[in-house]
Amino acid sequence: FGINSKCETTKEQDVILKNYNINSFYDKVIVITGASSGIGKACALEFASRSATVVLSSRNQAKLLDVEN
């Protein structure tokens, strides 16, 4: 769908916009390296909270399992 150059929307576009959640990653797969701590961990938790399928990797398996839980 598109919104015309005057930023006016049709009723159909209004319905689509109301139902579209820009914060949802439901059908996305996110791969994160370094996911056991720091920014990687924070990103993993954030994407998971937004319904993404998150693939995690890390050198430290024990810390990675903590992120998973």
Side-chain angles (χ1 to χ4, degrees):
F1 70 93
I3 299 174
N4 66 32
S5 62
K6 293 182 180 180
C7 296
E8 297 172 3
T9 61
T10 65
K11 287 185 180 186
E12 182 178 315
Q13 289 170 332
D14 285 339
V15 170
I16 292 170
L17 289 172
K18 286 177 185 175
N19 291 327
Y20 181 73
N21 182 355
I22 198 163
N23 293 319
S24 176
F25 288 84
Y26 174 74
D27 59 349
K28 306 296 182 203
V29 176
I30 309 295
V31 178
I32 300 175
T33 59
S36 64
S37 64
I39 293 172
K41 179 179 179 179
C43 288
L45 296 173
E46 183 64 26
F47 281 116
S49 75
R50 294 179 185 220
S51 303
T53 298
V54 184
V55 179
L56 309 177
S57 71
S58 173
R59 294 180 295 177
N60 187 324
Q61 184 178 11
K63 289 173 94 176
L64 190 59
L65 291 173
D66 288 339
V67 175
E68 180 184 35
N69 297 322

